[in-house]
Each structure stands twice: as structure tokens, then as C-alpha cells.
Amino acid sequence: MTDRPAVDRRAFLAALGSAGVGSLAGCSALGGDATETTSTAAPTASVDDHVARDLAARFAPTLYFDAAETWFPTDPRSYASDRDGETVVDGFDALDGYHATRRETGERAPEPTVFYNVVGYEDSSLTAVQYWFYSVFDQFTTNFHWHDWEVLHVFVDTAGDEPVPQLYVASSHSRSVPNNEFLDPDPARPPRVLSELGSHSSALSLNDRADRFQRLPTGGTFADITNRALDRIEDAAEIPIAYGLPRDEGARLPYVVPELDGAPVYEDERLPSVTRESLVSEALTVRSFDALSSPPTDLPARATGLVFAPETADAGSDAGADTTADADAATDADIEYALVPAGEVEHITEFTGPQLSFEFAVPGFVEDAIASHLTTTSAPWSQPRYADPAADITDPTHRSELADRYDAVDDPSTLNTLFVRVTEAVTDADAPDGEGVTTRESGVESVLLLESDPEAAPTFGGLGVLRDVPAGEHRLTVNGAGSAPHSESVRVGDAGSGSASASEPEPSPGGDAGETVVTAGVDGEIPLVARESATKVEVDTDGTDRDLTALALEDDFGGRLYDAPLSGPDAVYVHRGGAYTVEVRDSDDELGAFRVNPDPDPGPDSDGSDADSNGDPAPASIPSVRIDEPRTGKASLATFLADISAETAAAVAAADGGGDDSDSDDSDDSADTTTSDGATRTPTGGGQANAVRGLAQALESVAEAARRAAERAESGDRGRADESLDTVAARLERVAERLAEARGELPGSLSRATDRRLEQARRRSEQARAADTL
């Protein structure tokens, strides 16, 4: 589909670099709430308070925040209240109270606090130190919620005199997105956490580039994660699969203002201390994804802001930490945070707040939206991973390694992972104007949503990965700022069956260990289209007498762009600069095909009312093309052959500039003769000009034979329909001869387009002759 080779290590870095450093994706929806992860084999127990304190101080992380960050880790007890005899933290109290404190005290980070929880696995030397970070609010691009808990897990071996770190796990986005993990880190270097703007999703920084995330080793330094690649997916075979920190990898993803009851949260009278300036900067924010006509390109670059480090250790502490590392952290730090046992806040039973909504646009006959809601995060101590931190290890190779070292940890469970690569559809310079597209890497990150899961997941470097997808049928929707939405049905089989295409569930042998990898789109690729360039192709299955099961769409130059199950009326957005074939398949495996040529210049499409500071206004409406009651079988395919042949003949005649002038006889007999084998013979006088004209006439003769085949199939005359289709096949070979003769006189783009259409016509001709359905 794309006009480039599969992504490899160099291409991935080049694509990120060319995108430019910009706005920063990420989100922590439920803080990576691992509510359905597998428990370990052995239970855990609390660790002696002094030992726990020493371990927590030993590995306490340095925290790096974005320069535009508003909500820093704080102490929720300041906003707690009693409700029916239980201690709760209300979202209004926390958000408004936090900003009131900032205004009154002038502090950028009121009560900087990190909570720690330390548990040991019974009959094992494995101990886990957890660092929990509470923020009063989370504002991501389309996920936002009251309260936010993020966590860093430090797994250490305590068998020797000094604790030895085994694995770092930093919560990235949600349980569906792979965490950022590092196996066997340097014991002398405490971890550093890079916090995502607004969402507080956590990346690791372990090499010498303290405030930057590095997915791959480069420039003489090692990578900041050891997550494995998806070896069976060509586009991800060398890319470590973890959320990372898109803001440090050249990604752009605008933020959206959260709404409450249809109005921005800062307009709510219950939040008097919250203003527009309390949220993520306007320079990084759009009103909505569909408010832009194209993906934004002018988002500000990322910059490091405040740095937090733990308070200086107590004089009596026996932590044994690396004093040089502590000194370096203290030197870099703008703010020191208090390190507090999580047990001191376990009396808080609930973090509350009303629904905050976000919408995902879904292609349909009438533009629809799935409105999903994320209200608040659950308390850490109510989550399985609080007592069993190994439940939050998302990389199966890391979990396998810990399982080999410690009987207390089970091997990873087999689960389904959905993989996509989101690209951008653009016009192809090799195609005639308005008649061909290709795809390229997108400079803006997108957001994925499964209807079965209310948490949206961002892409990283254009790659989208959703873990632990239940078996069954799902609808995957992809939205991007300034892009028309994409949606398709995805079938996911039982975990453990290897790697598979979503549209072709048969697995490939020997899939990635610990998971079944399923690809959506076409070979894992989903191209989005800028709204200003989009046309909606609607397929109305109501009224058809066929049981249609699949829908595909391909462009003459871009190849197959969409291929997914079909269970009713559906719609696909395409770039209006393409020339498309829509294919349907029925339950008998019969095919139908339809030619679609969007208007490349539909005229003014915006009234300017939706202008946004980050880009041009969105179109007031997007033009559409509808296919009513699509059918399969010989008649459908023959009609398609007539359409594509006539279309190409007209283009060739126009290039000749004289297809209808006095040099051409209007008589069919004089312009062309037909031999007994159905081939066409055209007079050869006139050299190359006649060759071009002969090509146009040969294509017209194909169209004529295809129309006869369609008429005969429609009338139920299978035998004569097949005879006409045989004539079509013979005449297509004559087209190939005429094309070879005329190639030197045709514009290069038209010659290439004719080649591609001829190849497809041959394929559809064979399908038509093989069809059982008339």
C-alpha cells in the first residue's frame, strides 16, 4: 500500500525526526488499572516498616515534568472529606482546592508528595517497591478524568547484602497499552521518570540523557526500555513495543478541552479557582478533532520543566543509597518531594467526580459518535497490582524472565494483542491528477478506541498496540486531529493461536511468545485522510438480495486501503484525489465490484465558522458517494469491467486530443474490426498517433463486450454471458498490445494508470468468468 519499504530501526527514527518535536501524546485513563491481569503463584506480604523505608529511599526516582505541566504529584489528604462515615476525595474539591492553593501561595507544586508501598513475595527474595504519584486531574487528548494515580514498580532481589534491582515497570497509559519496562538496570543509578504532559503517563530514563526518552540505542547510549518487538509483524519487527514518551520521539498530538454537561470544565460554578489557564496550554489544544481541516503542523515543541527529587534522607536512615546519584538528583531538582508510606492514605475509600465526556466520530450514513466516559481513577489499594505488583508487568519476555528466576512469579498468560500502523493518504505524484493516492508516515499521532473498552489509546510513532483484547467481534475506531475518522469491524480469535490478520483470522505458525498478534486494517496499516481532502464512500446493503460479509476498497496506485468484515450499511472515508474500486464479498464467497471516482474539486466546503487557532477551519460538510444495494456475481463484475474500460478509454482519447475529430471515422466498422477470436484490429496508418487512438478504441471494445456480458447475466443467460466474458478477456490482450505501441506517446502518468487498470481488469475478468452467481 505505501510507497516505501517496511519500517525498520532507521526508518522509524527518521520518521520521528522528520515529524519534529511537538505536542505530546499520552494518557493514563485509569492509571493503568490492572483489574484483569493474572495473579502470581505466591501471595505477598508487607515488609518491615524500616526495611520498607530504606528500600523506598534507595530507589526513589527523580521526576521530570513538561514545561507546560499544571498538575504535579501532591497529597490527596488535603482535599479529603467525610461522606456517610467514609473518607473520600471529591473531584471538585481536589481540582479547585489545588488551584486555589497555587493562587494563594504562589507555589507551582503544592505539597509535592510521592507515596510508596513495599511488598515481599512469600518464600522468595523478590520484593517490589512501588512509587505512587497522585495528581488532581488528567487531561489527555480525548481521555480525561478527575484524579490520577501513576505508578513506578521497582522489583528488587534482597537475598544479598545489597538489594539488586531486577526490573523497572513504569505505568504508561492504561492496561491495554504496554508499559515502559527495563530488565536488569544498573543498581548504582536510581530510576528517572519522565512524566507525560497532562496525562502523567510515565516513561523511563536510564541512560546519560537524563530528561529524554530513547526507544532505541543510538549515539553511543543504550535504550531506556528493554521491551521486545513483535517479531512476526514486519512493520514492528525491530521496534520495542511500549508506549514510550511520544513527545520525545517527534510526535504531535493536540489536546482537547474536557467538558462537563456540555461546557468546558473551567466554566462550572463549582470550580471558581479553575480558569482556562489552569488546563493544558491553548497552543497545544483544539476544540475538537473535527474542528480542523487537516492535521496540525504548528504545535509548540516539547521542553523540560520542573524536576522533582526526594527530600534529603534522614540522618538515621540506613538506606545505603548511592550518595553520588542522590547528590546529582538534588543538584538537578527544582522541587523536593516528601516520600510517604501509602498506608497513611489507605483510609481514603473513594476518589469521586461526575462524568467527563469525550466523543469518537464513527463513519456512517449519518455521522455518528460513540460517547464514552471516564469519571475517576480507582484507589491504588483497591487494585490487584497493589498487592501483586507483578500483575502490572506487560512485556511477556520480562515476566518470563522473572518467572525463571523466582517461583513466586507465574509465566505470562497468553493474550490477544491488536496491532495497527496509522498512516496518511495523500495524492501520488506518479498518478494522473486526481486519479491515484499513496500513503506516508503521519506526523501526528492518532487515537484508537475499541467499542468494548471505554479507554482510548494513543499511537506512538504511528504504531498502535492494544493488549488483552477479548476474543470476539469488535469495532475499532481511529480518530486523528484534522482527519476523517476510520472504523472497521475486527474479529479476534482465542488467544494462543499465533499471529493473524483481523480480516483473515487464520493464524500464522509460531506467533510471538505469550500472545496472539492480530492486525487490523490491510496488513496492519490504516490510512487516514485529511478532512479537507475526504470523500465518504457509503455502502448501503439494505435491500440487496446478497448476504454480504466483507467490504474492501483499493486505489489504482495505492492498492488495497480497506478490508474488513461487513454486517450492514457501512462507510469508508477516502482521499478524493484517488480512483477506487469497491469490492464486496458474500457468504458464498462471490464477489462484486464497483468503480468510484470522487469529484477532485467539490467546490467550497467551509463557511469558516469552525476556525481553530491550530489550523484551518474544518469543512462544513464532507461530500459522499453512495453504492446502493450492491450485488455480487457476473453482472456486477462485468459492469465494473465496462466502467473501468470506458473510463480509461475516455482518458486516453482526451490525451490523444482528437479522439472525435475528422481523422476518426464515426463508423464502428471502419474504426475497428473484430476477428473471430474476439480481438480488435485497428488500421495502422498514422504511426504513434494512430497507436494512441487504437488504444482508446481497443478499450472501448472491451467496454462494449463487458456491457453485453452484464446484460446477458442480468437476463439469466449464463452461457452467452460467459461467451461475452471470453471476448472481454481476448480484447484485454489486444489492449495490452496497443498500450505497448502507444506508450511513447502517452503521458507517463496515464500510461502507468492504464497499466494498473489493465492488470485489475484482467483479474476481475477471471473472477467474473469463475463466478457461479449471475
Side-chain angles (χ1 to χ4, degrees):
M1 185 192 312
T2 53
D3 58 349
R4 58 166 183 77
V7 175
D8 60 15
R9 196 178 296 250
R10 290 181 296 277
F12 183 82
L13 290 172
L16 295 177
S18 65
V21 178
S23 161
L24 318 169
C27 139
S28 180
L30 300 181
D33 189 356
T35 56
E36 298 181 12
T37 48
T38 305
S39 298
T40 51
T44 59
S46 6
V47 173
D48 176 81
D49 288 348
H50 293 293
V51 173
R53 175 70 191 187
D54 287 347
L55 285 172
R58 171 80 180 233
F59 296 102
T62 303
L63 312 177
Y64 291 79
F65 292 92
D66 192 272
E69 182 58 63
T70 295
W71 303 293
F72 298 100
T74 189
D75 191 333
R77 289 175 292 185
S78 298
Y79 316 111
S81 58
D82 181 82
R83 180 175 299 176
D84 299 327
E86 293 187 337
T87 302
V88 302
V89 178
D90 177 79
F92 288 103
D93 292 345
L95 182 58
D96 195 71
Y98 180 85
H99 286 285
T101 301
R102 289 187 65 177
R103 187 184 66 249
E104 293 163 2
T105 65
E107 297 176 342
R108 289 191 63 185
E111 297 186 274
T113 308
V114 172
F115 298 93
Y116 67 87
N117 177 51
V118 183
V119 297
Y121 286 88
E122 292 187 359
D123 301 319
S124 173
S125 59
L126 181 65
T127 298
V129 185
Q130 297 178 321
Y131 300 91
W132 290 92
F133 318 107
Y134 169 78
S135 302
V136 298
F137 200 76
D138 180 308
Q139 180 186 355
F140 177 52
T141 178
T142 48
N143 277 356
F144 10 77
H145 50 89
W146 311 94
H147 317 289
D148 186 32
W149 281 102
E150 302 295 335
V151 64
L152 168 69
H153 306 278
V154 176
F155 294 89
V156 298
D157 189 296
T158 57
D161 293 336
E162 294 292 334
V164 179
Q166 305 294 300
L167 178 70
Y168 294 157
V169 176
S171 59
S172 59
H173 170 74
S174 70
R175 69 176 180 83
S176 62
V177 178
N179 287 327
N180 301 304
E181 303 177 7
F182 196 100
L183 186 68
D184 294 325
D186 182 355
R189 174 172 285 173
R192 296 184 292 256
V193 170
L194 309 179
S195 180
E196 188 74 86
L197 172 63
S199 75
H200 316 117
S201 166
S202 300
L204 292 168
S205 172
L206 299 172
N207 58 30
D208 293 332
R209 301 172 73 240
D211 68 340
R212 298 292 182 189
F213 172 77
Q214 194 168 306
R215 187 178 298 270
L216 298 168
T218 187
T221 62
F222 56 88
D224 287 315
I225 54 174
T226 56
N227 296 60
R228 90 293 183 238
L230 298 178
D231 292 335
R232 297 202 58 81
I233 303 296
E234 184 178 9
D235 286 341
E238 297 188 49
I239 308 302
I241 298 300
Y243 181 63
L245 187 66
R247 65 181 185 175
D248 259 5
E249 301 181 80
R252 293 191 300 270
L253 182 58
Y255 289 73
V256 178
V257 175
E259 291 188 352
L260 181 61
D261 299 327
V265 291
Y266 54 80
E267 294 182 359
D268 194 285
E269 62 183 8
R270 291 165 289 185
L271 297 170
S273 300
V274 178
T275 66
R276 176 61 188 86
E277 289 67 34
S278 302
L279 306 184
V280 171
S281 167
E282 288 187 82
L284 292 162
T285 307
V286 298
R287 182 64 182 81
S288 65
F289 273 13
D290 60 6
L292 301 180
S293 63
S294 60
T297 59
D298 58 352
L299 297 172
R302 177 260 176 179
T304 299
L306 295 182
V307 179
F308 287 44
E311 292 176 340
T312 304
D314 297 334
S317 172
D318 189 28
D322 187 315
T323 56
T324 301
D326 283 346
D328 290 344
T331 300
D332 292 339
D334 301 296
I335 293 175
E336 291 188 344
Y337 63 78
L339 196 57
V340 177
E344 294 187 13
V345 289
E346 288 181 5
H347 65 286
I348 299 174
T349 59
E350 192 175 1
F351 293 83
T352 67
Q355 290 182 337
L356 296 169
S357 66
F358 67 92
E359 292 186 345
F360 261 67
V362 181
F365 290 107
V366 177
E367 194 67 23
D368 198 0
I370 302 173
S372 296
H373 304 279
L374 294 173
T375 54
T376 65
T377 184
S378 58
W381 34 96
S382 69
Q383 301 173 19
R385 60 181 177 168
Y386 189 74
D388 179 13
D392 217 20
I393 301 173
T394 58
D395 189 290
T397 59
H398 291 161
R399 183 156 182 136
S400 292
E401 184 62 32
L402 255 63
D404 288 343
R405 300 177 188 181
Y406 305 100
D407 292 338
V409 178
D410 281 337
D411 285 317
S413 300
T414 301
L415 49 81
N416 292 312
T417 294
L418 180 65
F419 171 86
V420 300
R421 180 167 59 89
V422 181
T423 58
E424 179 183 8
V426 295
T427 55
D428 192 329
D430 289 337
D433 187 29
E435 297 184 24
V437 301
T438 185
T439 61
R440 68 183 182 190
E441 299 289 349
S442 175
V444 178
E445 299 295 351
S446 304
V447 184
L448 284 60
L449 181 74
L450 284 179
E451 280 188 14
S452 56
D453 191 339
E455 300 175 41
T459 61
F460 48 91
L463 305 182
V465 177
L466 299 176
R467 300 177 62 256
D468 201 14
V469 178
E473 189 127 357
H474 303 266
R475 178 153 289 272
L476 172 68
T477 299
V478 183
N479 278 197
S483 295
H486 171 99
S487 186
E488 65 178 75
S489 180
V490 177
R491 292 172 184 155
V492 177
D494 292 330
S497 57
S499 298
S501 163
S503 58
E504 298 177 2
E506 291 299 323
S508 301
D512 294 86
E515 65 186 340
T516 295
V517 181
V518 179
T519 58
V522 178
D523 297 328
E525 183 178 0
I526 292 177
L528 297 185
V529 185
R531 294 183 65 84
E532 64 185 3
S533 302
T535 291
K536 183 166 64 173
V537 177
E538 301 171 341
V539 179
D540 187 358
T541 58
D542 290 341
T544 185
D545 58 356
R546 305 289 193 264
D547 177 22
L548 301 179
T549 60
L551 172 66
L553 184 144
E554 62 185 69
D555 173 76
D556 290 350
F557 283 75
R560 190 152 289 208
L561 303 172
Y562 183 93
D563 193 346
L566 179 67
S567 59
D570 210 341
V572 182
Y573 283 100
V574 299
H575 194 292
R576 63 171 175 256
Y580 301 98
T581 299
V582 175
E583 177 189 280
V584 294
R585 185 182 297 270
D586 65 23
S587 56
D588 294 325
D589 213 28
E590 296 280 340
L591 297 174
F594 311 88
R595 193 67 174 162
V596 172
N597 292 283
D599 184 353
D601 185 18
D605 57 6
S606 174
D607 58 12
S609 61
D610 292 323
D612 189 277
S613 60
N614 278 314
D616 293 332
S621 63
I622 294 178
S624 62
V625 176
R626 179 172 294 190
I627 299 173
D628 289 313
E629 300 182 15
R631 300 181 62 194
T632 57
K634 290 184 188 293
S636 171
L637 293 167
T639 300
F640 168 82
L641 286 165
D643 290 344
I644 196 172
S645 299
E647 171 192 335
T648 310
V652 171
D656 178 35
D660 295 323
D661 64 17
S662 59
D663 291 334
S664 176
D665 196 314
D666 289 336
S667 167
D668 287 342
D669 292 338
S670 62
D672 187 77
T673 59
T674 303
T675 66
S676 59
D677 65 356
T680 59
R681 180 176 294 117
T682 306
T684 58
Q688 291 294 335
N690 263 358
V692 174
R693 196 160 308 145
L695 173 59
Q697 292 166 349
L699 286 161
E700 281 290 0
S701 71
V702 172
E704 178 187 358
R707 281 190 286 267
R708 284 198 300 268
E711 291 167 0
R712 290 167 175 174
E714 289 282 4
S715 67
D717 192 340
R718 179 184 299 276
R720 298 192 68 196
D722 285 342
E723 288 177 5
S724 294
L725 288 170
D726 289 340
T727 300
V728 167
R731 291 184 180 183
L732 285 172
E733 297 313 307
R734 187 59 174 166
V735 169
E737 295 173 10
R738 289 300 187 197
L739 178 58
E741 295 168 1
R743 195 178 300 278
E745 294 300 312
L746 289 174
S749 60
L750 179 56
S751 176
R752 289 187 288 270
T754 306
D755 262 332
R756 286 162 171 77
R757 293 171 190 169
L758 175 59
E759 184 278 329
Q760 183 177 188
R762 284 167 163 162
R763 174 161 48 95
R764 300 297 179 185
S765 173
E766 292 173 1
Q767 292 169 349
R769 283 183 289 173
D772 290 329
T773 300
L774 289 174

